[in-house]
Amino acid sequence: MRRADRLFDIVQILRGARLRTAQEIADRLEVSVRTVYRDIDALVATGVPIEGERGVGYVLRGTLLLPPLAFSQAELEGLALGARFVEAWADPELAAAAREALVKIDAVLPEARRGEIWRDAVSVNSPALIAAANAQLPLFRQAIRQRRKMQLNYRSATEALTGRVIRPLAIEAWGHAWTATAWCELRGDFRMFRLDRIVDASILDDIFKPEKGRTLADYMKRLRDERAGHPPR
């Protein structure tokens, strides 16, 4: 690792207002504690607001502006892959936002590294069935942001068609399908709906407030309890 990269990484490790020991930093960077001491001394000498002492630990105080896009090759590939997943699986608005994000990242990279993010070393092949859900994604994202109820006509795996009023809580991509986790007022319980099985959907004027037992946190706790063998209360 180049020293400049190591200095940058030390600053990132120290972010978050938590005391970090030199040994902890050394373990993360796979260098000696003595190297960490020298690097921190060098950072302090250049004005980086690091507080602490040897044998106790260090913390970053105040605001420090660093180049935000000093990415490694692996980090660039990870960002590119994530954006391509969004392009392949999400609705047109999110797909366009992902492409624009890559353009902005590429534009502020060092000149020698521009264009790396567009390489095809990693790619995403989207199953055709995902397209069936894309039309519903903008509607669900809007309803979740605004905490508004939705009216659905939903076709189950057995082809039964039911009308539902739901409180949408989250949407999830599974690779083969998109789902929405919601509180279903018809069933009086949490339900997960596959977006490609929704015949039609609309956002209602009704705004719902978080209620105990009906939030996403409640649903996630139920899942954790069930996996741990504890029935929900």
Side-chain angles (χ1 to χ4, degrees):
M1 179 184 289
R2 294 182 310 157
R3 189 177 190 226
D5 293 334
R6 193 172 67 243
L7 293 175
F8 180 85
D9 287 345
I10 288 174
V11 173
Q12 299 309 306
I13 291 170
L14 293 177
R15 288 185 185 274
R18 187 168 80 82
L19 198 69
R20 306 277 189 176
T21 65
Q23 185 63 62
E24 182 180 355
I25 298 170
D27 292 342
R28 288 271 298 272
L29 300 180
E30 298 181 350
V31 297
S32 69
V33 170
R34 181 176 297 179
T35 296
V36 171
Y37 286 148
R38 286 199 304 264
D39 288 346
I40 288 179
D41 287 344
L43 288 167
V44 171
T46 61
V48 177
I50 296 173
E51 295 180 6
E53 59 182 272
R54 298 185 181 190
V56 178
Y58 300 94
V59 67
L60 185 68
R61 299 294 189 191
T63 301
L64 178 66
L65 298 178
L66 290 175
L69 298 176
F71 294 122
S72 68
Q73 182 61 42
E75 289 168 340
L76 284 175
E77 288 184 1
L79 288 169
L81 181 61
R84 284 167 184 155
F85 271 116
V86 175
E87 283 190 86
W89 291 0
D91 57 84
E93 181 184 11
L94 280 184
R99 287 192 297 272
E100 182 61 26
L102 290 183
V103 170
K104 290 179 178 179
I105 290 171
D106 188 58
V108 295
L109 287 173
E111 186 172 354
R113 306 198 64 189
R114 288 179 191 166
E116 289 183 9
I117 205 166
W118 303 111
R119 291 177 182 171
D120 293 326
V122 290
S123 60
V124 175
N125 294 313
S126 172
L129 64 85
I130 289 177
N134 282 358
Q136 305 295 347
L137 284 174
L139 204 64
F140 272 82
R141 290 195 295 109
Q142 178 184 348
I144 290 169
R145 284 196 307 268
Q146 298 176 352
R147 288 182 177 169
R148 290 170 62 186
K149 294 182 181 181
M150 299 183 71
Q151 170 76 52
L152 311 180
N153 285 317
Y154 186 74
R155 193 179 304 279
S156 70
T158 61
E159 296 297 312
L161 184 65
T162 57
R164 311 286 186 103
V165 173
I166 66 168
R167 301 180 180 197
L169 303 173
I171 50 177
E172 306 90 13
W174 295 90
H176 64 287
W178 277 92
T179 60
T181 297
W183 175 266
C184 177
E185 298 199 345
L186 176 65
R187 305 302 185 198
D189 202 355
F190 295 107
R191 287 293 185 271
M192 186 175 285
F193 301 93
R194 278 184 56 147
L195 299 195
D196 56 321
R197 291 181 182 159
I198 295 174
V199 177
D200 57 67
S202 59
I203 298 177
L204 302 177
D205 292 333
D206 296 346
I207 296 175
F208 63 90
K209 295 181 179 180
E211 295 181 21
K212 185 174 177 58
R214 299 186 181 187
T215 67
L216 183 61
D218 293 319
Y219 175 71
M220 298 306 296
K221 182 179 184 304
R222 178 187 294 187
L223 290 183
R224 290 193 297 270
D225 288 345
E226 290 175 351
R227 289 167 183 165
H230 304 302
R233 296 178 180 178

